[in-house]
Amino acid sequence: MKLTVIGHWGGFPGPGEASSGYLFQKNGYNLLVDCGSAVLSHLQSYVQIKDLHAVLISHYHHDHIADIGPLHYGRLVSGMAEEGVPLLPIYGHTGDSEGFNRLTYKNVSKGISYDPFHPLRIGPFKIEFLKTNHPAECYAFRISDGESSVVYTADSSYKKELIPFAKEADLLLTECNLYAGQDGGGAGHMTSLDAGAIAKHAGVKECILTHLPHFGKHEDLLTQAKTIYEGPIRLAAKGLTWSVN
Ligand SMILES: [Zn+2]
Ligand SMILES: [Zn+2]
């Protein structure tokens, strides 16, 4: 599978960039995970809106769903310009019915609830779920294609259950919204040391830090995480790709 980072900012997008959005591709199938602010604009550098097959949403904070409305309009207009643009499935949890109800739009998209206790099949991908520690109900995803697996933490403060959940994943795509010494418990976010600890103890093959903060020097996040995790580690960036096979 191939992963492309569409947006990597926490909270709101930096200039010319986007908040949370990740494109997973395999054998021509295009799955968008989270659809934050400015994601729709940047997504089009990699795939046409009409060619998205499905969307998967971790939770209903603005920085993860702000562009759902524009996505609806994008599909609507694509369907006017060309026949055969199918109904877009958007998978989300039903713990927040107001959030979930925003996923369905006319005959353009349909919100589909996922059951976090059962793996979900979306195209070539199998998705497993873990509820995170976050003020809004939120799920981490383990996304596998039978050959490799990526664990995306979505938003969470440190949670030890993320370690077995991410065990020996090919990639840990972990939020890292805070620097060493900050307290993420109340905000529901991880520090660089938290992220590094999960990567180390889960024994993941590679790590990418994402959901980056709008303060401090991001290089420091990397330096701090590296004091714990010794494997390959990078900062997320617009257009950064990772792939196996
Ligand atoms: Zn967020
Ligand atoms: Zn959040």
Side-chain angles (χ1 to χ4, degrees):
M1 76 172 99
K2 179 181 181 186
L3 160 69
T4 303
V5 175
I6 308 297
H8 62 283
W9 285 100
F12 63 97
E17 300 188 326
S19 58
S20 299
Y22 308 93
L23 179 64
F24 287 78
Q25 295 174 295
K26 167 93 174 176
N27 296 339
Y29 193 93
N30 302 309
L31 168 67
L32 177 66
V33 173
D34 282 344
C35 189
S37 184
V39 163
L40 199 69
S41 171
H42 293 284
L43 178 71
Q44 294 169 83
S45 298
Y46 311 99
V47 66
Q48 293 187 53
I49 296 169
K50 70 177 177 61
D51 292 331
L52 265 190
H53 293 94
V55 181
L56 174 64
I57 298 294
S58 63
H59 68 304
Y60 301 112
H61 275 158
H62 294 304
D63 54 331
H64 298 255
I65 60 153
D67 269 11
I68 286 288
L71 173 60
H72 290 156
Y73 289 174
R75 286 292 276 217
L76 181 69
V77 172
S78 301
M80 290 170 179
E82 177 177 330
E83 290 202 357
V85 177
L87 187 74
L88 179 68
I90 306 182
Y91 296 85
H93 69 70
T94 49
D96 169 352
S97 56
E98 192 182 325
F100 179 75
N101 290 340
R102 290 174 61 180
L103 305 181
T104 298
Y105 177 64
K106 295 186 175 177
N107 57 351
V108 168
S109 73
K110 179 164 175 49
I112 301 175
S113 65
Y114 53 71
D115 174 358
F117 297 104
H118 289 97
L120 172 69
R121 283 257 162 218
I122 304 179
F125 302 110
K126 181 177 85 168
I127 319 292
E128 295 165 282
F129 304 89
L130 179 71
K131 193 173 182 183
T132 71
N133 290 342
H134 199 57
E137 185 170 333
C138 177
Y139 292 90
F141 305 133
R142 186 175 178 116
I143 301 174
S144 313
D145 66 354
E147 291 167 330
S148 59
S149 53
V150 174
V151 169
Y152 167 54
T153 65
D155 288 9
S156 187
S157 59
Y158 181 82
K159 178 169 180 142
K160 67 179 189 316
E161 289 83 357
L162 280 165
I163 293 168
F165 186 68
K167 191 162 179 56
E168 293 173 1
D170 294 279
L171 175 68
L172 175 66
L173 177 63
T174 177
E175 79 127 276
C176 184
N177 206 45
L178 299 167
Y179 293 82
Q182 294 187 287
D183 177 11
H189 290 296
M190 282 195 264
T191 69
S192 48
L193 299 183
D194 294 333
I198 295 199
K200 175 191 170 82
H201 296 299
V204 300
K205 294 200 180 89
E206 197 172 340
C207 183
I208 294 175
L209 303 178
T210 193
H211 201 280
L212 301 178
H214 291 272
F215 50 86
K217 288 198 199 98
H218 290 166
E219 284 299 319
D220 291 344
L221 297 171
L222 209 51
T223 305
Q224 292 160 4
K226 280 180 176 174
T227 63
I228 298 182
Y229 175 65
E230 293 171 347
I233 183 166
R234 291 182 279 172
L235 291 169
K238 175 177 136 182
L240 181 146
T241 61
W242 174 95
S243 63
V244 167
N245 303 321

